[in-house]
Amino acid sequence: MEWLFRKTGTRLSHSVRKLSKALERLAQVLKARWKTWTLSCLLCMAAVLQATLAKPTQEKRDRVHHGRDLSDHVHNDAEDFQYDHEAFLGKEEAKTFDQLTPEESKERLGKIVDRIDKDKDGFITHAELHSWIKYTQKRYIEEDVMKHWREYDVNKDDKVSWEEYKNTTYGFYMDEEFEGVEDKNSYKAMLARDKRRFQMADQDGDQIATKEEFTAFLHPEEYEHMKNVVVQETIEDIDQNGDGFIDANEYIGDMYGSETKEEEPDWVKSERQQFIDFRDLNKDGKLDSDEVAHWILPGQVDHMDIEAKHLIYESDKDKDEKLTKEEVLGNWNMFVGSQATNYGEDLTKKHDEL
């Protein structure tokens, strides 16, 4: 998708036939790349349309792939349990539970406890609770992968080969040369980038992706062995002069663009200082791959592990470091406490899986 907005001078053919083909190709690429980790196309668009904004867009800040927050709320149990609700249920399901009566919440919580107790021994261990929280937090990734999986697994063998992916995404042009296509170099660069990422995700090198490998391809920021490709793609997105590094102006240009000579907003000045003080570690005026990795992939904090320990500590009445169903239900408000409304029943009809 990056080429769409970075190549602003692209000219579409005046031919109706070529225009139709170009639009079809655009739809294919947008559909194929919509859920990948990079949002640079939106960011470039924002830089042009919002040149005088007083602060950077949230998407710009999201280049940093720190340990993913489990909730949008501050974790303050003295005030409310919204953080715990979203951590335990996932953000979308927490909204659903907010519409339930206390009785409905407790009933559904009991069913969840049965699912968490994998070995059916009547206890919820830290490992089981950690696994559940990981599932709720990663569910959106699984749903995204399954949606694309059905599209790309053309021969229905429960695998996606590079040929299947390439032909589905780029097959409209039949080969890798894109002859007769306007701005074919951008298409070729996008294909090469996809191929590089696919090969990195394909750990056994057989040019065929299992579901796990395909997940790494679509969401490389979630996998340690994909770290290098995440860093490389970030540099390619921001590096405007093609020297393989990110200088201060390129770093700022990724978040802020102004066609005027007006004084930069305070937040831009602050970001420039951040670049000097914290990003450019060797003080040579530019970021290399190690410095970019330090920026966008800092040390991971396992928030899911911390939350599992917290829920057990707060609910474990006999202090045996594991939970019974009774102990969970006894502290149900921390796990799933609800704020019932008149339309709660209608909102929860499609969530029977919990």
Side-chain angles (χ1 to χ4, degrees), residues 96-319:
T96 297
F97 271 74
D98 279 344
Q99 317 306 319
L100 300 176
T101 65
E103 292 73 22
E104 290 171 324
S105 290
K106 291 178 184 178
E107 180 182 357
R108 289 185 178 230
L109 177 58
K111 294 178 180 179
I112 291 175
V113 170
D114 292 337
R115 291 180 60 183
I116 298 174
D117 182 16
K118 295 293 186 182
D119 59 9
K120 307 304 178 185
D121 66 350
F123 295 98
I124 301 299
T125 64
H126 171 269
E128 289 172 328
L129 187 54
H130 182 273
S131 178
W132 168 260
I133 294 174
K134 182 177 181 180
Y135 160 72
T136 63
Q137 295 296 318
K138 303 293 185 180
R139 183 162 44 197
Y140 80 96
I141 292 178
E142 295 179 6
E143 292 172 352
D144 175 56
V145 170
M146 287 308 301
K147 179 178 67 176
H148 290 295
W149 187 261
R150 289 188 289 269
E151 177 182 2
Y152 290 114
D153 181 16
V154 178
N155 63 6
K156 306 306 177 186
D157 65 347
D158 206 33
K159 297 177 182 178
V160 173
S161 69
W162 167 246
E163 288 299 317
E164 285 177 314
Y165 176 81
K166 184 184 71 172
N167 291 338
T168 301
T169 305
Y170 300 95
F172 185 79
Y173 296 108
M174 302 306 293
D175 57 42
E176 299 182 11
E177 296 304 317
F178 301 107
E179 293 300 335
V181 179
E182 295 282 354
D183 197 23
K184 67 178 180 180
N185 288 335
S186 292
Y187 283 83
K188 292 171 70 173
M190 197 69 237
L191 174 61
R193 181 161 165 155
D194 275 349
K195 186 173 184 179
R196 181 183 64 202
R197 187 192 283 197
F198 192 96
Q199 290 174 337
M200 185 72 70
D202 176 27
Q203 290 189 287
D204 60 9
D206 63 356
Q207 294 293 297
I208 298 174
T210 63
K211 199 162 293 182
E212 184 71 12
E213 290 171 333
F214 194 63
T215 302
F217 170 72
L218 292 180
H219 297 274
E221 73 282 1
E222 300 291 336
Y223 291 82
E224 180 64 26
H225 70 277
M226 299 294 288
K227 173 181 175 179
N228 289 341
V229 78
V230 172
V231 171
Q232 189 171 359
E233 289 182 4
T234 300
I235 293 175
E236 290 171 351
D237 289 344
I238 304 175
D239 173 25
Q240 295 298 307
N241 62 16
D243 66 353
F245 299 92
I246 298 174
D247 62 34
N249 289 330
E250 291 168 335
Y251 173 81
I252 294 299
D254 184 50
M255 295 179 282
Y256 172 79
S258 177
E259 297 178 354
T260 70
K261 295 184 179 180
E262 295 180 359
E263 184 178 0
E264 292 179 338
D266 288 342
W267 73 263
V268 175
K269 296 176 182 178
S270 177
E271 286 290 345
R272 285 191 182 278
Q273 197 61 45
Q274 287 278 325
F275 181 93
I276 295 171
D277 294 341
F278 303 108
R279 306 287 183 243
D280 182 16
L281 300 178
N282 62 9
K283 307 306 176 187
D284 65 351
K286 55 188 177 183
L287 306 185
D288 58 26
S289 59
D290 289 337
E291 289 168 324
V292 171
H294 187 269
W295 164 37
I296 67 171
L297 297 168
Q300 295 292 307
V301 176
D302 191 343
H303 296 291
M304 293 175 281
D305 177 73
I306 294 172
E307 179 64 11
K309 291 177 179 176
H310 170 66
L311 291 175
I312 290 176
Y313 177 82
E314 295 294 338
S315 308
D316 182 19
K317 298 301 182 182
D318 59 10
K319 303 304 176 184

Side-chain angles (χ1 to χ4, degrees), residues 47-59:
V48 173
L49 297 179
Q50 303 182 39
T52 59
L53 280 181
K55 60 182 180 179
T57 62
Q58 182 61 41
E59 289 85 353

